[in-house]
mmCIF file of all heavy atoms in Angstrom:
data_model
loop_
_atom_site.group_PDB
_atom_site.id
_atom_site.type_symbol
_atom_site.label_atom_id
_atom_site.label_comp_id
_atom_site.label_asym_id
_atom_site.label_seq_id
_atom_site.Cartn_x
_atom_site.Cartn_y
_atom_site.Cartn_z
ATOM 1 N N ARG A 182 38.338 -45.773 -44.732
ATOM 2 C CA ARG A 182 37.499 -44.581 -44.665
ATOM 3 C C ARG A 182 37.505 -43.761 -45.959
ATOM 4 O O ARG A 182 36.804 -42.744 -46.046
ATOM 5 C CB ARG A 182 37.944 -43.701 -43.486
ATOM 6 C CG ARG A 182 37.899 -44.406 -42.131
ATOM 7 C CD ARG A 182 36.502 -44.871 -41.771
ATOM 8 N NE ARG A 182 36.475 -45.680 -40.561
ATOM 9 C CZ ARG A 182 36.304 -45.204 -39.341
ATOM 10 N NH1 ARG A 182 36.153 -43.910 -39.154
ATOM 11 N NH2 ARG A 182 36.287 -46.009 -38.295
ATOM 12 N N ASP A 183 38.288 -44.168 -46.953
ATOM 13 C CA ASP A 183 38.298 -43.446 -48.228
ATOM 14 C C ASP A 183 37.114 -43.822 -49.118
ATOM 15 O O ASP A 183 36.873 -43.164 -50.137
ATOM 16 C CB ASP A 183 39.584 -43.752 -49.006
ATOM 17 C CG ASP A 183 40.816 -43.209 -48.314
ATOM 18 O OD1 ASP A 183 40.700 -42.141 -47.705
ATOM 19 O OD2 ASP A 183 41.869 -43.862 -48.367
ATOM 20 N N ILE A 184 36.399 -44.854 -48.756
ATOM 21 C CA ILE A 184 35.336 -45.355 -49.628
ATOM 22 C C ILE A 184 34.247 -44.310 -49.890
ATOM 23 O O ILE A 184 33.855 -44.115 -51.050
ATOM 24 C CB ILE A 184 34.745 -46.655 -49.057
ATOM 25 C CG1 ILE A 184 35.751 -47.801 -49.240
ATOM 26 C CG2 ILE A 184 33.415 -47.005 -49.724
ATOM 27 C CD1 ILE A 184 35.294 -49.129 -48.696
ATOM 28 N N PRO A 185 33.704 -43.611 -48.878
ATOM 29 C CA PRO A 185 32.660 -42.615 -49.175
ATOM 30 C C PRO A 185 33.095 -41.544 -50.165
ATOM 31 O O PRO A 185 32.322 -41.137 -51.030
ATOM 32 C CB PRO A 185 32.356 -42.008 -47.793
ATOM 33 C CG PRO A 185 32.698 -43.096 -46.836
ATOM 34 C CD PRO A 185 33.917 -43.762 -47.429
ATOM 35 N N GLN A 186 34.356 -41.081 -50.046
ATOM 36 C CA GLN A 186 34.855 -40.078 -50.990
ATOM 37 C C GLN A 186 35.010 -40.674 -52.392
ATOM 38 O O GLN A 186 34.740 -40.017 -53.406
ATOM 39 C CB GLN A 186 36.189 -39.513 -50.504
ATOM 40 C CG GLN A 186 36.100 -38.586 -49.308
ATOM 41 C CD GLN A 186 35.767 -39.319 -48.023
ATOM 42 O OE1 GLN A 186 36.155 -40.469 -47.838
ATOM 43 N NE2 GLN A 186 35.046 -38.662 -47.143
ATOM 44 N N SER A 187 35.442 -41.922 -52.444
ATOM 45 C CA SER A 187 35.586 -42.587 -53.741
ATOM 46 C C SER A 187 34.241 -42.774 -54.419
ATOM 47 O O SER A 187 34.146 -42.716 -55.657
ATOM 48 C CB SER A 187 36.266 -43.950 -53.564
ATOM 49 O OG SER A 187 37.528 -43.817 -52.938
ATOM 50 N N LEU A 188 33.210 -42.982 -53.630
ATOM 51 C CA LEU A 188 31.880 -43.195 -54.203
ATOM 52 C C LEU A 188 31.373 -41.964 -54.936
ATOM 53 O O LEU A 188 30.631 -42.079 -55.915
ATOM 54 C CB LEU A 188 30.894 -43.578 -53.096
ATOM 55 C CG LEU A 188 31.051 -44.973 -52.498
ATOM 56 C CD1 LEU A 188 30.030 -45.192 -51.390
ATOM 57 C CD2 LEU A 188 30.894 -46.043 -53.572
ATOM 58 N N ILE A 189 31.753 -40.779 -54.467
ATOM 59 C CA ILE A 189 31.324 -39.545 -55.139
ATOM 60 C C ILE A 189 31.834 -39.526 -56.574
ATOM 61 O O ILE A 189 31.092 -39.223 -57.520
ATOM 62 C CB ILE A 189 31.827 -38.312 -54.370
ATOM 63 C CG1 ILE A 189 31.225 -38.284 -52.963
ATOM 64 C CG2 ILE A 189 31.487 -37.036 -55.122
ATOM 65 C CD1 ILE A 189 31.767 -37.183 -52.076
ATOM 66 N N VAL A 190 33.101 -39.884 -56.754
ATOM 67 C CA VAL A 190 33.683 -39.942 -58.103
ATOM 68 C C VAL A 190 33.025 -41.043 -58.918
ATOM 69 O O VAL A 190 32.660 -40.849 -60.085
ATOM 70 C CB VAL A 190 35.206 -40.172 -58.014
ATOM 71 C CG1 VAL A 190 35.811 -40.276 -59.410
ATOM 72 C CG2 VAL A 190 35.874 -39.068 -57.213
ATOM 73 N N LEU A 191 32.859 -42.202 -58.309
ATOM 74 C CA LEU A 191 32.273 -43.344 -58.999
ATOM 75 C C LEU A 191 30.856 -43.051 -59.468
ATOM 76 O O LEU A 191 30.484 -43.357 -60.616
ATOM 77 C CB LEU A 191 32.274 -44.559 -58.078
ATOM 78 C CG LEU A 191 31.555 -45.813 -58.602
ATOM 79 C CD1 LEU A 191 32.237 -46.336 -59.853
ATOM 80 C CD2 LEU A 191 31.504 -46.894 -57.527
ATOM 81 N N VAL A 192 30.047 -42.444 -58.601
ATOM 82 C CA VAL A 192 28.650 -42.173 -58.949
ATOM 83 C C VAL A 192 28.552 -41.161 -60.084
ATOM 84 O O VAL A 192 27.691 -41.286 -60.968
ATOM 85 C CB VAL A 192 27.882 -41.680 -57.698
ATOM 86 C CG1 VAL A 192 26.550 -41.048 -58.085
ATOM 87 C CG2 VAL A 192 27.649 -42.845 -56.749
ATOM 88 N N ASN A 193 29.424 -40.154 -60.088
ATOM 89 C CA ASN A 193 29.416 -39.180 -61.186
ATOM 90 C C ASN A 193 29.717 -39.848 -62.519
ATOM 91 O O ASN A 193 29.076 -39.551 -63.541
ATOM 92 C CB ASN A 193 30.436 -38.073 -60.917
ATOM 93 C CG ASN A 193 29.968 -37.121 -59.843
ATOM 94 O OD1 ASN A 193 28.774 -36.920 -59.641
ATOM 95 N ND2 ASN A 193 30.902 -36.519 -59.119
ATOM 96 N N LEU A 194 30.691 -40.753 -62.521
ATOM 97 C CA LEU A 194 31.002 -41.485 -63.751
ATOM 98 C C LEU A 194 29.859 -42.426 -64.120
ATOM 99 O O LEU A 194 29.473 -42.520 -65.296
ATOM 100 C CB LEU A 194 32.304 -42.272 -63.574
ATOM 101 C CG LEU A 194 33.582 -41.457 -63.413
ATOM 102 C CD1 LEU A 194 34.757 -42.383 -63.095
ATOM 103 C CD2 LEU A 194 33.874 -40.658 -64.675
ATOM 104 N N TRP A 195 29.333 -43.105 -63.141
ATOM 105 C CA TRP A 195 28.256 -44.082 -63.344
ATOM 106 C C TRP A 195 27.024 -43.416 -63.949
ATOM 107 O O TRP A 195 26.332 -43.982 -64.802
ATOM 108 C CB TRP A 195 27.910 -44.727 -62.006
ATOM 109 C CG TRP A 195 27.131 -46.005 -62.091
ATOM 110 C CD1 TRP A 195 26.389 -46.469 -63.146
ATOM 111 C CD2 TRP A 195 27.000 -46.998 -61.065
ATOM 112 N NE1 TRP A 195 25.813 -47.665 -62.837
ATOM 113 C CE2 TRP A 195 26.164 -48.012 -61.582
ATOM 114 C CE3 TRP A 195 27.508 -47.108 -59.774
ATOM 115 C CZ2 TRP A 195 25.825 -49.144 -60.827
ATOM 116 C CZ3 TRP A 195 27.165 -48.218 -59.027
ATOM 117 C CH2 TRP A 195 26.342 -49.229 -59.550
ATOM 118 N N PHE A 196 26.735 -42.180 -63.513
ATOM 119 C CA PHE A 196 25.549 -41.467 -63.989
ATOM 120 C C PHE A 196 25.600 -41.279 -65.511
ATOM 121 O O PHE A 196 24.606 -41.512 -66.212
ATOM 122 C CB PHE A 196 25.449 -40.113 -63.302
ATOM 123 C CG PHE A 196 24.288 -39.278 -63.765
ATOM 124 C CD1 PHE A 196 22.998 -39.558 -63.362
ATOM 125 C CD2 PHE A 196 24.497 -38.195 -64.614
ATOM 126 C CE1 PHE A 196 21.928 -38.790 -63.798
ATOM 127 C CE2 PHE A 196 23.436 -37.418 -65.043
ATOM 128 C CZ PHE A 196 22.150 -37.713 -64.638
ATOM 129 N N TYR A 197 26.754 -40.854 -66.003
ATOM 130 C CA TYR A 197 26.849 -40.577 -67.442
ATOM 131 C C TYR A 197 27.087 -41.843 -68.269
ATOM 132 O O TYR A 197 26.992 -41.797 -69.498
ATOM 133 C CB TYR A 197 27.948 -39.547 -67.701
ATOM 134 C CG TYR A 197 27.549 -38.181 -67.214
ATOM 135 C CD1 TYR A 197 28.079 -37.649 -66.037
ATOM 136 C CD2 TYR A 197 26.612 -37.419 -67.916
ATOM 137 C CE1 TYR A 197 27.687 -36.400 -65.568
ATOM 138 C CE2 TYR A 197 26.221 -36.171 -67.444
ATOM 139 C CZ TYR A 197 26.757 -35.668 -66.282
ATOM 140 O OH TYR A 197 26.356 -34.434 -65.824
ATOM 141 N N LEU A 198 27.388 -42.948 -67.610
ATOM 142 C CA LEU A 198 27.465 -44.228 -68.307
ATOM 143 C C LEU A 198 26.112 -44.935 -68.334
ATOM 144 O O LEU A 198 25.989 -46.009 -68.924
ATOM 145 C CB LEU A 198 28.508 -45.134 -67.631
ATOM 146 C CG LEU A 198 29.966 -44.705 -67.770
ATOM 147 C CD1 LEU A 198 30.872 -45.608 -66.936
ATOM 148 C CD2 LEU A 198 30.400 -44.734 -69.231
ATOM 149 N N THR A 199 25.126 -44.343 -67.698
ATOM 150 C CA THR A 199 23.779 -44.896 -67.644
ATOM 151 C C THR A 199 22.850 -44.007 -68.463
ATOM 152 O O THR A 199 22.900 -42.777 -68.323
ATOM 153 C CB THR A 199 23.283 -44.957 -66.185
ATOM 154 O OG1 THR A 199 24.236 -45.674 -65.393
ATOM 155 C CG2 THR A 199 21.939 -45.659 -66.088
ATOM 156 N N PRO A 200 22.012 -44.569 -69.316
ATOM 157 C CA PRO A 200 21.107 -43.742 -70.143
ATOM 158 C C PRO A 200 19.991 -43.122 -69.322
ATOM 159 O O PRO A 200 18.836 -43.550 -69.387
ATOM 160 C CB PRO A 200 20.581 -44.735 -71.181
ATOM 161 C CG PRO A 200 20.696 -46.076 -70.537
ATOM 162 C CD PRO A 200 21.913 -46.003 -69.661
ATOM 163 N N ILE A 201 20.351 -42.107 -68.538
ATOM 164 C CA ILE A 201 19.374 -41.368 -67.745
ATOM 165 C C ILE A 201 18.993 -40.083 -68.468
ATOM 166 O O ILE A 201 17.813 -39.807 -68.681
ATOM 167 C CB ILE A 201 19.927 -41.027 -66.347
ATOM 168 C CG1 ILE A 201 20.333 -42.295 -65.584
ATOM 169 C CG2 ILE A 201 18.898 -40.221 -65.559
ATOM 170 C CD1 ILE A 201 19.191 -43.182 -65.196
#
Side-chain angles (χ1 to χ4, degrees):
R182 302 299 173 91
D183 294 325
I184 288 179
Q186 288 71 32
S187 303
L188 288 178
I189 298 174
V190 178
L191 174 63
V192 165
N193 286 332
L194 293 174
W195 197 340
F196 178 75
Y197 289 104
L198 291 174
T199 306
I201 302 292

